[in-house]
Amino acid sequence: MAYFNTNDRSLMYARNSAADGSGAWQIVVVDKSGGDVGYYPSLAVVNGNLAISYFDYTSRDLKYVRASDVSGTIWGTPLTLDSTGIVGAYTPMAVVNGNPAISYLDYNNLDLNKKLAKVGVDITHTTPRP
């Protein structure tokens, strides 16, 4: 489970040693870069490792980070995927053809456009909100 820690304002990952949640919980700090990071996290398995998309409230950016190991105990450096104005809230992520794809909101426009970011591919699609 990925979540925003309201105590230290960081992105966290929690993993239980038992499938039913009765085992010991392991808590890992994923991003504690300062300010409020980790809003609206979405967790998915990308090429065998966990990945999280989230909103960095302090910088108002869409971010993505992937674990360096299968268990999610070691995480890579977060990537900023979009930093144009206020972007990145509500970040549901899916894996499409083996690559992460993230839908998110662009607050720069009054109609709150939805965007799609494909990690590792330099494209952004904008779709007006219904």
Side-chain angles (χ1 to χ4, degrees):
M1 158 174 78
Y3 64 97
F4 173 68
N5 183 337
T6 57
N7 292 326
D8 69 0
R9 320 305 289 176
S10 61
L11 176 64
M12 308 293 282
Y13 168 68
R15 177 177 186 263
N16 195 284
S17 60
D20 66 358
S22 64
W25 283 92
Q26 179 182 20
I27 308 295
V28 178
V29 177
V30 177
D31 186 351
K32 189 177 179 177
S33 57
D36 290 341
V37 295
Y39 280 72
Y40 313 112
S42 180
L43 181 69
V45 176
V46 178
N47 294 320
N49 287 8
L50 295 167
I52 303 172
S53 61
Y54 60 99
F55 180 56
D56 180 334
Y57 188 83
T58 299
S59 63
R60 310 288 203 250
D61 297 339
L62 171 65
K63 293 205 172 172
Y64 170 86
V65 64
R66 187 167 173 262
S68 303
D69 63 348
V70 174
S71 62
T73 56
I74 303 168
W75 291 82
T77 302
L79 302 173
T80 300
L81 302 182
D82 194 346
S83 60
T84 308
I86 303 171
V87 291
Y90 308 106
T91 66
M93 178 172 39
V95 178
V96 179
N97 297 325
N99 296 311
I102 305 159
S103 174
Y104 62 99
L105 287 180
D106 175 358
Y107 284 106
N108 300 307
N109 301 303
L110 293 178
D111 60 357
L112 296 177
N113 286 336
K114 294 180 288 183
K115 287 187 173 180
L116 175 66
K118 291 176 77 177
V119 179
V121 180
D122 189 20
I123 63 169
T124 302
H125 298 287
T126 302
T127 306
R129 184 175 173 203

